[in-house]
Amino acid sequence: MVKMSETETPPFRYTAALAGDIERRWQDHWDANGTFHAPNPAGELADPEHPRAGAPKLHVQDMFPYPSGAGLHVGHPLGYIGTDCYTRYKRQAGYNVLHPMGFDAFGLPAEQYAVQTGTHPAVTTAANVERYRHQLRRLGLAYDDRRSFSTTDPEYYRWTQWIFLQVFNSWFDPSVGKARPIQELIDSYESGARGPEWAGLSAVEKRKVIDDHRLAYVSEAPVNWCPGLGTVLANEEVTPDGRSERGNFPVFQRSLKQWMMRITAYGDRLVEDLDALDWPEPVKLMQRNWIGRSRGAHVDFPIDGSHIRVFTTRPDTLFGATYMVLAPEHRLVDSIVPAVWPEGTHDVWTGGHATPAEAVAAYRATAAAKTEEERTADGKVKTGVFTGAYAINPVNDERVPVFIADYVLAGYGTGAIMAVPAHDERDFEFATVFELPVIRTIETPEGFEGAYVGDGAVINSGFLNGLNKDDAKAAMITWLEENGKGSGATTYRLRDWLFSRQRYWGEPFPIVYDETGLPIALPESMLPVVLPDVDDFSPRTFDPDDANSEPETPLSRKKDWVQVELDLGDGPKTYTRETNTMPQWAGSCWYELRYLDPKNEKSLVDPENEAYWMGPRSEGDPGGVDLYVGGVEHAVLHLLYARFWHKVLFDLGHVSSFEPFKKLFNQGYIQAYAYQDARGVYVAAEEVVERDGKYWFGDQQVTRSYGKMGKSLKNVVTPDEMCEQYGADTFRVYEMAMGPLDVSRPWETRAVVGSQRFLQRAWRLVVDEETGAVRVSDEPLDPKTRKVLHRIIAGVREDLEELRFNTAIAKLIELTNTLTPLGTVSREAIEPLVLMISPFAPHLAEELWGKLGHEGSLAYTAFPVADPAQLVAEAITYPVQVNGKVRGRVEVSPETPEDEVRAAALAAVAEALAGKEPKKVIVVKGRLVSVVV
């Protein structure tokens, strides 16, 4: 890009160089004076002398960034600039504004870089955070820098570990629908309130009973195990063909011991409390679908002295269950497989194997090599094998064969299904492949083939015959409960949260194990458990195809850290530390709370500060952050996990709000064009020119595509470049003027000059470009311009309240263009204009405010308010319709009585009426007159 020429320009023109000088000077001023510090009601950050102490509060927060080595490109700060414009306006409108920024700094990229270079992730992360801070400061973002932190700071993750301990030391009491301290559960067992069996248990058995109730627990869980990388991968890190996104290694489904969070206990509240939130409906829908609440019944199918429990949303179809399917990993599979195939086994059921054990083993190996996405994909050919075992359908005592198949997942529901092929398309496809019977239990249209999923009267179902679906479901649940065969139930698509990672760069668990192998929570006095330095940051890797290998974490090799002598109340003993680390989600699950009281070393947050910034204000108010802005890509996981942790803290009395984020706004994205040559190689976008509707890179014709901005696409534009070439204020105005904040838009560097010209015109209204003299008069505005001014003030305030920054800027351009021909502009107009520009171009506004004779910052100067008297129109023009067609217009005062408006309208269309007497004359006040003849 060619830098704007500044030769032969007036000496006091608002150029990029002058903008840079102004911006750096005001940024230094804001830092030196703590301009954007927000006072707390209590603690170290309280300030009774602050101009907003005791004022109404506003807590606005951006989804904080992961500080990558690449730094920011122009798409990243879109939301940050938007919230900055909004909070600057609200601060001037009288609010005590909390607008902080931190960094979500744990994560895999820094660890990967450490593995490749030997540079400690802490070093890389610190450098990246510093770069981000510099870039954000250069944009003039008005953060309270006292409240900034990184999730990798030990003084921060001390409280992440503390929250983990709150979750670990809690259980969910379904009788009250909330978390309670685990000690209350222990006390109820000790008192005998939960039965006499407790007294006969050993100490270890008692611990296991209690651990099974905890909200954080250790469990065997199916995971994506990648031997070639030596780590478990999240679903997002696995390609559709079952390989690792990084390195392209095979990924296997394995059951491994992992930490889990019992988020499913909160399923109902996570669904129902969405109604209290001011969130986009599509995001609420995504959360509801992810949680996937289903109401139905648990049903027990007897098998060889045990039973297979299934959940079904259609207990009314139980008489049509003709086979069952277990996940290949289901715990019962090994115990039910017989030595030989039973008599009558169909050849297609065996998979060509001589024995059930061989068939099950072979099928399990095949299923383990598939991803969850592959296993559950619609349209895939159904596969499976017969286990050799039969269960009993509890409603009719019929034997039903039990299969294993990969489309059933161990971690979803009970890991088993009853199959009703007559009324479920997936079950019908499986039954067709494996020659299984189909029994219709819902009246089906004559001639219908396949699985009928519509409604109808119940048939072939004994005592349910003739009932409709809803009545049949209720009757079957009653029968199951009365006969001890099952019970009504609610289940969720949501699974408990897998909370372990076999990586180095994450929060250590505040957990040790004793000689029993059971977990023990460390006392709060031992926090933080600091992540130790290690010589090798990478997990142990294995042969990529060794599906049976076991993870070896980087921390497990730090023997002097893993084995530790502690006194946990019963004398010094040797314990083993947990060597997994927490997932990156952990630090972002509660950071909104630490912003409130970041210097507090005694508690997570002072109750007075939490109640002030996030507490509910009325009955039914969920409390939480007043405005939370970020990308829709975080609609589910981050927001769901944060809501879960917050609800646990609410149940335990640590916070007064039952939701973390009251209002959510999803900003759009800035996208860009990318260009490829004939080989498909990306070329530098800034060097491409358009000629005759085609695109050229030098003498090569290239093709253009539209999408995201990224280094690999060679189309990155950085805010640093924009600030250098145009100034931060021009960049800010351009990003906000491009379109609605919630809509994605294309980046076009050549269009930035339009925003610069607007700011140059505003500058010229105050400063003479030749002499630098202030050219503002104290003469009053003429009445016409005054009305324009107050109309713009009213419109800009309304737009800012609704985050319509592009239309607010359009109004400011209109006002600037209105004032420009006047020559010397009245202070009556120019001071409101400067104050209204300040949210968007704060450095320019501060400079002009000083030139207008004011001292210090304008940050707390009252935002202009429109005079209602100036908003009243001097006249209203009524279009006059005759039989639906406009035949004339009449201009009257807004206060004109209706009968006078009617008379004036009839006079205006007298010629069109041609002497005819109107049947009806309708006056729509302020809008139109309709005459019917």
Side-chain angles (χ1 to χ4, degrees), residues 157-198:
Y157 68 70
R158 166 197 176 185
W159 295 105
T160 307
Q161 294 170 342
W162 181 87
I163 295 173
F164 175 85
L165 292 179
Q166 306 310 301
V167 180
F168 178 77
N169 286 320
S170 302
W171 66 292
F172 189 83
D173 184 350
S175 69
V176 294
K178 60 181 286 188
R180 294 172 58 187
I182 200 73
Q183 188 59 49
E184 294 181 10
L185 179 65
I186 296 171
D187 292 344
S188 68
Y189 274 113
E190 293 288 354
S191 70
R194 291 178 170 266
E197 297 84 1
W198 177 262

Side-chain angles (χ1 to χ4, degrees), residues 464-705:
L464 299 181
N465 284 343
L467 298 178
N468 62 38
K469 179 178 71 175
D470 292 339
D471 291 343
K473 287 173 70 172
M476 178 57 81
I477 290 171
T478 299
W479 184 90
L480 290 169
E481 292 176 340
E482 289 177 347
N483 289 274
K485 307 289 188 179
S487 60
T490 300
T491 65
Y492 306 89
R493 177 180 179 272
L494 177 70
R495 305 178 204 178
D496 279 348
W497 177 10
L498 177 63
F499 201 71
S500 300
R501 296 294 184 271
Q502 291 71 46
R503 294 172 180 154
Y504 170 71
W505 193 231
E507 299 92 340
F509 282 85
I511 292 289
V512 294
Y513 299 88
D514 62 10
E515 67 280 359
T516 68
L518 297 176
I520 299 173
L522 292 176
E524 293 175 20
S525 60
M526 292 186 179
L527 303 183
V529 178
V530 177
L531 188 65
D533 289 336
V534 296
D535 297 325
D536 184 0
F537 305 112
S538 58
R540 181 187 172 192
T541 58
F542 301 87
D543 182 302
D545 295 312
D546 186 1
N548 296 317
S549 50
E550 294 289 337
E552 181 183 287
T553 66
L555 289 180
S556 67
R557 295 192 289 267
K558 185 77 172 175
K559 300 301 182 185
D560 58 343
W561 182 81
V562 174
Q563 301 298 319
V564 59
E565 186 175 280
L566 302 170
D567 185 348
L568 299 182
D570 52 356
K573 289 183 178 180
T574 298
Y575 296 91
T576 302
R577 292 190 189 274
E578 172 62 70
T579 61
N580 286 315
T581 53
M582 299 186 196
Q584 187 176 357
W585 304 109
S588 62
C589 275
W590 71 279
Y591 71 119
E592 72 284 353
L593 293 170
R594 196 57 181 168
Y595 284 142
L596 311 184
D597 208 1
K599 308 298 183 184
N600 195 330
E601 296 180 357
K602 296 180 180 178
S603 62
L604 180 74
V605 58
D606 185 293
E608 189 175 354
N609 292 330
E610 188 275 332
Y612 174 72
W613 288 114
M614 290 182 63
R617 292 295 185 267
S618 60
E619 186 71 27
D621 180 3
V625 175
D626 295 298
L627 176 63
Y628 192 40
V629 176
V632 73
E633 69 271 17
H634 299 298
V636 176
L637 297 183
H638 157 60
L639 290 171
L640 203 59
Y641 296 154
R643 294 180 65 214
F644 164 55
W645 270 27
H646 199 87
K647 289 181 182 301
V648 175
L649 293 173
F650 172 75
D651 289 352
L652 300 177
H654 298 300
V655 297
S656 63
S657 49
F658 64 82
E659 285 283 345
F661 309 113
K662 181 187 302 186
K663 180 173 182 176
L664 175 70
F665 186 94
N666 295 131
Q667 91 272 2
Y669 297 94
I670 289 181
Q671 298 173 304
Y673 293 111
Y675 302 88
Q676 293 170 281
D677 64 17
R679 301 166 299 164
V681 175
Y682 287 98
V683 301
E686 70 269 21
E687 297 179 29
V688 173
V689 296
E690 183 179 357
R691 294 196 299 268
D692 301 324
K694 297 178 180 178
Y695 302 96
W696 299 86
F697 177 70
D699 58 358
Q700 296 182 68
Q701 186 175 339
V702 292
T703 57
R704 185 175 78 166
S705 58

Side-chain angles (χ1 to χ4, degrees), residues 806-844:
N806 59 318
T807 56
I809 289 170
K811 291 178 176 67
L812 294 174
I813 292 172
E814 178 191 348
L815 179 58
T816 303
N817 292 343
T818 299
L819 298 177
T820 296
L822 300 182
T824 302
V825 180
S826 170
R827 183 179 294 272
E828 181 184 348
I830 200 62
E831 289 198 347
L833 174 62
V834 169
L835 291 172
M836 288 189 289
I837 285 176
S838 66
F840 306 104
H843 312 89
L844 172 73

Side-chain angles (χ1 to χ4, degrees), residues 92 199 792:
Q92 290 179 259
I792 296 295

Side-chain angles (χ1 to χ4, degrees), residues 788-802 804 807-809 811-812 836 863 866 871:
V788 173
L789 170 65
H790 285 272
R791 175 174 59 80
I792 296 295
I793 291 173
V796 168
R797 286 188 74 106
E798 182 180 323
D799 287 342
L800 283 167
E801 289 288 349
E802 300 299 325
R804 297 193 297 259
T807 56
I809 289 170
K811 291 178 176 67
L812 294 174
M836 288 189 289
F863 201 84
L871 301 179

